[in-house]
């Protein structure tokens, strides 16, 4: 079985009934094992293609940079400049922004490329729709902002995180546990779930639209084809909307990571 064949989702057997999307799509069967112990499925291959694509594009766009850039170099520079100026420098300042720019750039483009596979024909599955990738990125974000705060000032980091200024001392009995839960437990959980669930829901809606279109056109037939036109139009419109979601989720995750770093290195908040 070649690589292309493993990436294309299998069609549902034609039994005359409509089959909507199922969560089983996020748990595809194992295609092969690496070293005899690591299961590799269709989604893992999509994730691998995403990583190869982002590395290849960034490498090709920056390996021979010229003073007067071509279209491809300009596009890559625009993306890199957006993360540098629009996220890192705006939220962290030039010094800390340049310091954490590599990790913020990696997060943004990795999420963007893994998200976009959800609307690419024959892939039709975002690499971030299974929890491993969002959770890994959330852990990296978590470790990064704790590292940034501890390196800047261990005492100041814990004071700012658990004992916000302007609160009467007796109230810290309530505020401090809440701040601990919010900062060190809720943050990684919300980062993970926000990214994963947005892509899961988007995938399910797209599959529902196009599966219904196929059913109305080729199975139900007759007057039902008019409904197929409607579901096809809605699927096309939602595909455009999903492109916005894909970019927005990459931006939001990266911005939140930068904000957490900014709060961790702040003198007082």
């Amino acid at each position: 079985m070649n690589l292309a064949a493993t990436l294309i989702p299998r069609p549902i057997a034609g039994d005359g009934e409509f089959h909507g999307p199922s969560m089983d799509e996020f748990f595809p069967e194992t295609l092969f094992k690496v070293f005899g112990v690591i299961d590799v499925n269709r989604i893992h291959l999509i994730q691998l293609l995403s990583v190869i694509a982002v590395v290849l594009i960034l490498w090709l766009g920056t390996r021979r940079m010229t003073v007067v850039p071509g279209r491809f170099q300009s596009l890559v520079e625009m993306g890199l400049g957006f993360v540098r100026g629009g996220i890192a420098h705006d939220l962290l300042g030039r010094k800390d922004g340049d310091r954490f720019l590599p990790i913020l750039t990696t997060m943004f483009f990795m999420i963007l490329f893994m998200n976009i596979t959800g609307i690419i024909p024959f892939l039709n599955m975002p690499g971030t729709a299974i929890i491993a990738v969002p959770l890994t990125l959330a852990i990296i974000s978590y470790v990064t902002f704790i590292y940034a705060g501890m390196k800047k000032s261990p005492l100041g980091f814990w004071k700012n995180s658990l004992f916000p200024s302007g609160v009467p001392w007796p109230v810290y009995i309530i505020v401090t546990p809440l701040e601990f839960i919010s900062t060190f437990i809720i943050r990684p959980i919300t980062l993970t779930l926000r990214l994963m669930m947005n892509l899961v829901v988007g995938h399910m809606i797209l599959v529902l639209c196009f599966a219904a279109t196929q059913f109305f056109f080729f199975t139900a037939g007759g007057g039902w084809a008019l409904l197929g036109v409607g579901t096809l139009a809605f699927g096309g419109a939602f595909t455009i909307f999903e492109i916005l979601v894909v970019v927005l989720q990459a931006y939001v995750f990266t911005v939140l990571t930068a904000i957490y770093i900014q709060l961790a290195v702040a003198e007082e908040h």
Side-chain angles (χ1 to χ4, degrees):
M1 183 179 295
N2 57 40
L3 179 60
T6 63
L7 291 174
I8 299 174
R10 295 183 178 182
I12 300 174
D15 54 6
E17 297 182 0
F18 173 71
H19 295 271
S22 167
M23 291 302 294
D24 291 339
E25 296 181 40
F26 300 98
F27 303 94
E29 64 181 23
T30 299
L31 300 174
F32 58 88
K33 291 180 178 288
V34 177
F35 304 119
V37 294
I38 303 176
D39 293 338
V40 176
N41 58 40
R42 189 175 74 87
I43 300 179
H44 295 145
L45 294 180
I46 291 173
Q47 293 170 340
L48 178 61
L49 285 180
S50 300
V51 173
I52 293 173
V54 69
V55 171
L56 187 62
I57 288 174
L58 294 180
W59 176 69
L60 291 175
T62 58
R63 68 184 181 123
R64 293 181 180 177
M65 301 184 72
T66 58
V67 177
V68 181
R71 292 181 181 178
F72 185 65
Q73 180 183 328
S74 296
L75 185 62
V76 173
E77 286 183 350
M78 186 184 303
L80 294 173
F82 171 74
V83 179
R84 182 191 300 111
I87 299 178
H89 288 176
D90 275 2
L91 295 174
L92 298 173
R94 184 170 295 275
K95 180 180 178 181
D96 285 330
D98 288 339
R99 181 182 168 203
F100 292 100
L101 182 60
I103 195 166
L104 295 175
T105 302
T106 301
M107 279 186 175
F108 179 82
F109 283 102
M110 180 178 176
I111 295 172
L112 179 64
F113 275 70
M114 285 205 177
N115 285 354
I116 204 70
T117 57
I119 58 174
I120 295 178
F122 303 113
L123 298 182
N124 302 320
M125 175 65 72
T128 48
I130 56 176
I131 197 168
V133 171
L135 180 59
T136 300
L137 292 170
I139 291 173
I140 292 172
S141 174
Y142 181 80
V143 171
T144 300
F145 84 76
I146 293 177
Y147 162 80
M150 292 290 288
K151 187 173 180 62
K152 179 70 177 290
S153 172
L155 182 60
F157 170 68
W158 291 108
K159 178 180 179 298
N160 291 339
S161 298
L162 302 178
F163 302 94
S165 62
V167 178
W169 278 102
V171 182
Y172 281 128
I173 297 175
I174 299 175
V175 170
T176 297
L178 293 177
E179 288 292 323
F180 177 83
I181 293 173
S182 173
T183 302
F184 298 102
I185 298 178
I186 299 299
R187 281 184 185 178
I189 293 176
T190 54
L191 279 175
T192 302
L193 295 182
R194 181 186 296 107
L195 178 58
M196 183 184 73
M197 295 310 298
N198 273 283
L199 276 299
V200 167
V201 171
H203 172 79
M204 298 288 276
I205 293 177
L206 286 176
V207 171
L208 177 63
C209 290
F210 293 119
T213 299
Q214 182 180 20
F215 174 78
F216 288 134
F217 279 160
F218 302 108
T219 303
W224 292 103
L226 293 175
L227 289 179
V229 174
T231 56
L232 179 61
F234 186 81
F238 194 82
T239 298
I240 297 174
F241 175 74
E242 190 68 5
I243 294 174
L244 299 178
V245 172
V246 161
V247 178
L248 182 62
Q249 288 304 311
Y251 175 75
V252 168
F253 195 103
T254 309
V255 164
L256 287 176
T257 298
I259 290 174
Y260 296 156
I261 295 172
Q262 191 275 332
L263 293 174
V265 300
E267 295 295 335
E268 184 175 335
H269 57 264

